[in-house]
Amino acid sequence: MHRGHGTHRGAARVALHAEQGTHDGPSRFHTGDRFVGRSGRHDLSHRLRDLAPPVAGHLGSERKEQIPQPAQVQLLADRTAAERLDHARGHRLQHHQIRSAGGRVRAVPGRHRGRADVHLALRRGRRVPEERRTVLAHRHHRSGRREPGGGAQVAGEPLTYICNQPINPDGAVTRGRTPHGKKQAMKITDVAITHINPKLADRNVDKKVQFRTIDTQTVFKVTADNGVVGYGESRGHVTMDIGDVERLTGSSPFDHINAGYPVGLMGALYDLMGRHLEIPAYKLMGQKVRDRVPVAAWTRVASPEELAAEVVRAVDEGYMIFKMHTGEYYDVYEQNSAVEEVAPAGFKMHYDFNHNRSLPDVARIVEHLEKSPVVGVIEDPIVWRDVDGWRRLREQTSIPLLMHVPQLGGGPEIALGCADAYMIGEHGIGMSLKRGFACAEANVSTVIQMTGGTLNKAMALHLGAVIPNVMYTVNLDDQYGEDVTGGRIEVADGCSPVPEGPGLGVEVDEDELVRIAGNPVTELPQYIGKTRLPSGNIYYTIGYPSVHRLTGFTEGNIRGIRLDLWEEDGSSSWQETYDWIERRGPFMRKESE
């Protein structure tokens, strides 16, 4: 038998107090599940898990202790530092039971000298912080008499339950359970979504049509009840289902680790959790395997001349990898030759072939590009569902093949050997981690693509810190002239550092967020597409052309093809051409006509 400390297996504390007068020394002893009071004993056969009315738990075999209504709920607070010091000096202390009165504490007459199981305090009028409140629910039991409702018999003493339920200032019990002496669990109180329109980099301000839709972002702000705030970002103007918002509000952010929410929202949750714990976000994902992650620059489909200029720009900024979608209105051979003329040794191109062709349509193109020293990766060379075609092409070429969206979920494609690497990132954080670790087990690699500004890139770098096999990340932060963080993450020798600060490790400038949110949505001009063929013929279309529909040839199989965009210039010639196409559809004519 040993002296009790007022706990019963961590579930609840049971204290036996003298109803009247004072006493010195401990009031009961604890052995196993039996509590022995000064005037009697009883068995506690059930742990007290919740003190919500009407039942707290079982006493004896079938007895149930009724819990008082909120008006009867009392508050407890720790002793003051001075009282603890006096106690250490051997002084007897004056303790008071205290009740809530609009969140304040007032003394209730009564003395309890000597060692107390629950230290009651404090001086009259002191406000008790909510996180330090616990519920004290009790019912006095007269000696030898059982109160209506089946209260437990403990002769001459009140039976007191103490649970770890925080209460509101009005005395109502809340649902959160907070261990005595520990902080209450962090809860989400607000989820805010802000649509912003960051300006493009100066070099692209006159290319609104070419860079359409990338100048829109959504910033997620998640606020917790402890004042901690997390930010994340997605490209485009993203909305959320009201049900998702309701599920988040009032819950712990840790309940949503690896959930399937938009990448920007997940970034905000990881930022919030990391800041709360004062650790970088990657520590919530796995073991860190690298300090820096290779990064790729990016541009939209470009003419050979524009692509060469972008490669020079990227190299000057520290990049050694560059991603671009090919297009059916440019010749990929000419584009690649232009890169070869300006790229330094070791520079690699990542060509996205748009998953729109069959193996016969693309095999010769891949064979030609295989001879180039600047070709690093080909993404989606054929349609996704042709898993056998992927496998056969991979056997034929030494160029690494990257699959963006596995149609069978990723596992079968990995098992069949369809690709050398798989895209992760934009499919969701949970899926990215799962697929990333699966790829590592199969000894294939990944490319992380999370397109947006600095917040999005930071999240990608945290993923890249823990996924074992990562070739590089693809981001769009190099395409913007402004950012809500006020800057960009450093790029040097082809890679960027994993942020080590709390959360995502980058800070949002609230003033910049408000300012950029005030930018107007970009208005696109009307434009005509002029697709030039090797023969000198030009196809005129409203908007970008469908070359396959106009000519019957699949992408990449017309040498020398190129597109010029003719934006509205106020001329009668432009208006007449536009009106003609609207009435009769696309047409072709010789350039000299």
Side-chain angles (χ1 to χ4, degrees), residues 371-516:
K371 303 178 180 69
S372 173
V374 301
V375 178
V377 169
I378 294 180
E379 177 183 348
D380 292 344
I382 59 178
V383 294
W384 291 322
R385 65 180 179 274
D386 185 5
V387 292
D388 185 61
W390 275 84
R391 182 186 56 77
R392 290 163 57 197
L393 181 60
R394 187 186 181 204
E395 292 174 350
Q396 295 172 16
T397 182
S398 62
I399 299 176
L401 303 183
L402 171 66
M403 181 179 282
H404 193 147
V405 183
Q407 297 298 286
L408 303 179
E413 288 88 350
I414 293 173
L416 291 170
C418 293
D420 300 281
Y422 294 84
M423 188 78 81
I424 61 174
E426 292 177 327
H427 308 303
I429 302 305
M431 175 60 73
S432 296
L433 289 167
K434 180 167 63 175
R435 188 171 293 164
F437 287 118
C439 285
E441 287 299 305
N443 201 31
V444 294
S445 197
T446 61
V447 171
I448 301 171
Q449 179 165 290
M450 294 178 64
T451 55
T454 298
L455 280 169
N456 219 331
K457 179 175 180 176
M459 188 64 184
L461 292 171
H462 284 284
L463 270 178
V466 301
I467 301 297
N469 295 353
V470 173
M471 297 175 71
Y472 47 87
T473 74
V474 179
N475 314 107
L476 302 189
D477 62 314
D478 59 326
Q479 298 300 314
Y480 301 105
E482 56 188 1
D483 192 90
V484 296
T485 65
R488 290 169 55 193
I489 296 174
E490 168 237 330
V491 179
D493 299 309
C495 56
S496 289
V498 177
E500 289 293 340
L504 296 185
V506 293
E507 301 298 328
V508 169
D509 185 329
E510 285 277 1
D511 293 335
E512 278 293 280
L513 174 59
V514 172
R515 184 186 66 79
I516 297 174

Side-chain angles (χ1 to χ4, degrees), residues 177-216:
R177 178 170 294 186
T178 308
H180 184 64
K182 296 183 180 180
K183 291 182 179 180
Q184 183 178 352
M186 177 173 60
K187 302 293 183 183
I188 296 170
T189 58
D190 186 64
V191 179
I193 298 174
T194 305
H195 291 166
I196 64 174
N197 306 292
K199 294 178 181 177
L200 295 172
D202 290 342
R203 66 183 182 276
N204 295 328
V205 291
D206 295 328
K207 301 176 181 178
K208 295 178 181 178
V209 173
Q210 184 178 351
F211 288 90
R212 64 199 180 282
T213 73
I214 76 161
D215 56 347
T216 57

